[in-house]
């Protein structure tokens, strides 16, 4: 398969790689760049496990043409923590048992980060809307919603 | 092996289209087919032309084909379409899915196109031509043209209604979607259904009945009676065509009466 050279920023670091011509971003991040945090769930943009941020907005990496991110800024869960210090969202997920099997967690975290970046004090309904494109088959969602509210500095009892 | 060719403009890209070529917009439809190796895709064409502008001009709103659902939600000019755009996918999908791409979405997708059909939108192409949306949809799958913009006359306040019915909450694909433009101020009645045919379809018998009635339980009875005339729903994993035909009139009634049964 023909490969195409592209450069982009991944969690603040410049990355230059050759990508498959019709390959999606998730495949290239996992197999080529070595960032295993975007998960391969459905491969059709339905489950949200591959959610990353592109130029500050959430995007599904499994249905993003890899070569289309030339020159853009990609954020994944691998860039959330500062060394040993976890991001507030990661810590809240751990404290609130918001991850069980953990497969959806990277996507949930990036969807939640996209929300808190633009709306630091969301309502419960706004949190639910923000993760409405992310499927979890373990938790029943409530611990995840609670964790996102707590990471925003609010009580889990926050208004709807 | 699938090849990808990138052009600077939509006009240049349109010259490369043929039966084995697909145009890549936001990727939410085409990339899933690529991932699943759907037969028939050999060459992908894309354009770097940034057609995301939304502007008002001469009483119409022009929406660039590459405008995303999020762009529609954020633009003042398309406030009347924001509830429709919010019904499309989750935040990541809305950040990727384009207005132009939605025109080509197979059933049961294409909720936004259902709204555009009820608003008598006009489709503008890279070759400079334009076409009414109903004509465009009738020959959508045989055409080899790239859409550059959609223009639509905003409905009068309170005259546009939209509803998406889905099994999954808060978000999921449509069992059906309904868009209605009530007759007022010289604008004719329109009733459009999504997921009730291979493309969004107008319910013309219902439109005719709606144009000569008042909106209350008794008044809309003739509209509801003919709601599914001319529609052609299919069986899929979400619902049977029989089920869709049974519930479509119920949801149209609820929409017209503002949620009252």
């Amino acid at each position: 398969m023909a490969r195409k050279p592209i450069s982009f920023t991944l969690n603040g670091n410049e990355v230059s790689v050759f990508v498959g011509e019709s390959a999606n971003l998730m495949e290239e991040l996992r197999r080529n760049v070595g960032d295993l945090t975007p998960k391969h769930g459905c491969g059709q943009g339905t489950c949200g496990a591959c959610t990353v941020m592109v130029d500050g907005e959430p995007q599904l990496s499994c249905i993003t043409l890899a070569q289309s991110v030339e020159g853009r800024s990609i954020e994944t869960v691998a860039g959330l923590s500062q060394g040993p210090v976890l991001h507030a969202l990661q810590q809240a997920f751990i404290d609130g048992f918001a991850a069980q099997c953990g497969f959806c967690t990277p996507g949930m975290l990036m969807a939640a980060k996209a929300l808190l970046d633009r709306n630091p004090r969301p309502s419960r309904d706004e949190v639910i809307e923000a993760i409405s494109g992310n499927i979890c088959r373990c938790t029943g969602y409530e611990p995840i919603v609670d964790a996102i509210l707590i990471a925003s500095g609010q009580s889990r009892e926050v208004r709807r | 092996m699938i090849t990808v060719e990138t052009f600077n403009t939509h006009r240049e890209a349109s010259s490369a289209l043929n039966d084995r070529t697909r145009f890549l917009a936001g990727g939410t439809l085409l990339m899933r087919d690529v991932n699943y190796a759907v037969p028939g895709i050999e060459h992908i064409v894309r354009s770097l032309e940034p057609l995301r502008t939304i502007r008002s001009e001469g009483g119409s709103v022009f929406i660039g084909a590459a405008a995303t659902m999020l762009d529609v939600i954020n633009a003042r000019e398309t406030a009347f379409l924001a509830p429709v755009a919010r019904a499309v996918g989750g935040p990541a999908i809305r950040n990727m899915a384009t207005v132009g791409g939605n025109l080509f979405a197979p059933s049961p997708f294409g909720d936004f196109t259902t709204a555009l059909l009820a608003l008598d939108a006009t489709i503008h192409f890279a070759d400079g031509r334009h076409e009414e949306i109903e004509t465009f949809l009738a020959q959508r799958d045989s055409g080899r043209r790239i859409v550059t913009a959609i223009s639509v006359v905003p409905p009068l306040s309170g005259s546009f209604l939209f509803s998406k019915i889905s099994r999954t909450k808060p978000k999921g694909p449509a069992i059906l979607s309904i868009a209605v433009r009530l007759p007022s101020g010289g604008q004719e009645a329109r009733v459009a259904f999504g997921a009730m045919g291979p493309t969004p379809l107008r319910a013309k018998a219902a439109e005719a009945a709606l144009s000569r009635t008042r909106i209350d339980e008794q008044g809309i009875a003739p509209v509801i009676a003919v709601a599914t005339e001319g529609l052609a729903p299919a069986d899929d994993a979400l619902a049977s065509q029989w089920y869709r035909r049974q519930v479509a009139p119920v949801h149209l009634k609820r929409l017209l009466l503002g949620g009252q049964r």
Side-chain angles (χ1 to χ4, degrees), chain A residues 14-63:
Chain A
E14 289 294 325
V15 174
S16 294
V17 289
F18 285 89
V19 298
E21 200 162 342
S22 62
N24 65 59
L25 178 61
M26 179 206 64
E27 281 174 20
E28 295 297 345
L29 287 175
R30 290 180 60 84
R31 294 182 182 176
N32 200 356
V33 180
D35 184 343
L36 299 176
T37 56
K39 300 302 180 197
H40 186 174
C42 64
Q44 56 179 328
T46 302
C47 74
C50 66
T51 305
V52 300
M53 285 169 69
V54 178
D55 292 341
E57 296 288 351
Q59 201 156 310
L60 300 169
S61 60
C62 78
I63 51 171

Side-chain angles (χ1 to χ4, degrees), chain B residues 4-7 9-23 43-46 144-146:
Chain B
V4 179
E5 196 171 9
T6 304
F7 295 89
T9 67
H10 280 55
R11 183 180 278 269
E12 289 169 11
S14 66
S15 66
L17 287 186
N18 60 48
D19 289 347
R20 294 174 181 151
T21 305
R22 299 273 293 274
F23 182 75
H43 190 59
I44 292 174
V45 170
R46 56 192 285 260
R144 292 285 172 264
R145 294 175 293 176
I146 295 179

Side-chain angles (χ1 to χ4, degrees), chain B residues 87-107:
Chain B
V88 176
I93 287 287
R94 291 199 293 273
N95 186 41
M96 301 173 72
T98 66
V99 172
N102 196 275
L103 292 168
F104 295 87
S107 180

Side-chain angles (χ1 to χ4, degrees), chain B residues 87 164 191 216:
Chain B
K164 176 178 177 177
V191 179
D216 59 31

Side-chain angles (χ1 to χ4, degrees), chain A residues 128-144:
Chain A
I128 291 169
E129 170 61 29
I131 60 168
S132 62
N134 296 71
I135 293 173
C136 173
R137 285 290 176 252
C138 302
T139 65
Y141 298 99
E142 288 298 314
I144 295 173

Side-chain angles (χ1 to χ4, degrees), chain A residues 31-111:
Chain A
R31 294 182 182 176
N32 200 356
V33 180
D35 184 343
L36 299 176
T37 56
K39 300 302 180 197
H40 186 174
C42 64
Q44 56 179 328
T46 302
C47 74
C50 66
T51 305
V52 300
M53 285 169 69
V54 178
D55 292 341
E57 296 288 351
Q59 201 156 310
L60 300 169
S61 60
C62 78
I63 51 171
T64 298
L65 184 71
Q67 61 174 280
S68 72
V69 302
E70 164 71 36
R72 303 179 78 176
S73 173
I74 314 295
E75 293 173 66
T76 68
V77 168
L80 275 188
S81 62
Q82 299 292 319
V85 181
L86 295 180
H87 188 279
L89 279 164
Q90 293 172 303
Q91 193 61 56
F93 269 57
I94 292 171
D95 294 344
F97 301 100
Q100 288 186 26
C101 85
F103 200 81
C104 74
T105 307
M108 288 287 184
L109 286 168
M110 295 316 289

Side-chain angles (χ1 to χ4, degrees), chain B:
Chain B
M1 187 186 81
I2 300 171
T3 52
V4 179
E5 196 171 9
T6 304
F7 295 89
N8 287 321
T9 67
H10 280 55
R11 183 180 278 269
E12 289 169 11
S14 66
S15 66
L17 287 186
N18 60 48
D19 289 347
R20 294 174 181 151
T21 305
R22 299 273 293 274
F23 182 75
L24 177 70
T28 57
L29 298 169
L30 180 53
M31 284 304 291
R32 59 194 290 170
D33 286 352
V34 171
N35 291 344
Y36 280 77
V38 171
I41 306 172
E42 295 181 10
H43 190 59
I44 292 174
V45 170
R46 56 192 285 260
S47 163
L48 299 177
E49 194 172 10
L51 296 176
R52 288 178 67 168
T53 305
I54 297 174
R55 61 184 168 82
S56 293
E57 185 180 305
S60 291
V61 176
F62 285 77
I63 308 170
T68 64
M69 295 299 144
L70 187 62
D71 293 333
V72 170
I73 291 168
N74 290 336
R76 183 172 42 86
E77 294 86 347
T78 45
F80 60 97
L81 285 168
V84 184
R86 280 194 198 94
V88 176
I93 287 287
R94 291 199 293 273
N95 186 41
M96 301 173 72
T98 66
V99 172
N102 196 275
L103 292 168
F104 295 87
S107 180
F109 305 113
D111 305 313
F112 198 85
T113 302
T114 303
L116 292 176
L117 180 60
L119 292 170
D120 281 340
T122 301
I123 312 301
H124 301 261
F125 301 98
D127 60 9
R129 297 181 187 181
H130 58 84
E131 197 166 86
E132 297 308 310
I133 187 169
E134 191 180 14
T135 309
F136 163 78
L137 288 173
Q139 52 196 9
R140 177 183 75 175
D141 297 331
S142 59
R144 292 285 172 264
R145 294 175 293 176
I146 295 179
V147 175
T148 54
I150 293 94
S151 62
V152 60
V153 176
L156 298 175
S157 178
S159 69
F160 177 63
L161 310 171
F162 175 80
S163 178
K164 176 178 177 177
I165 292 85
S166 174
R167 287 185 192 276
T168 316
K169 304 297 178 191
K171 289 291 163 59
I175 291 174
L176 59 96
S177 57
I178 315 171
V180 173
R181 186 178 69 189
L182 300 173
S184 67
Q187 294 184 327
E188 295 175 4
R190 289 286 179 268
V191 179
F193 281 92
M196 292 292 286
T199 69
L201 294 172
R202 280 173 56 188
K204 295 187 178 178
E207 289 175 0
L210 186 61
S211 65
R212 51 176 184 268
T213 190
R214 61 185 189 283
I215 305 296
D216 59 31
E217 181 128 12
Q218 251 188 335
I220 65 167
V223 180
I224 304 307
V226 297
T228 57
E229 269 187 30
L231 305 182
D235 295 332
D236 62 22
L238 301 168
S240 67
Q241 63 88 15
W242 176 87
Y243 180 79
R244 285 187 160 101
R245 282 191 183 281
Q246 296 303 306
V247 301
V250 176
H251 289 291
L252 176 60
K253 181 178 177 181
R254 289 178 185 171
L255 181 64
L256 291 172
L257 296 179
Q260 307 162 38
R261 300 252 170 143

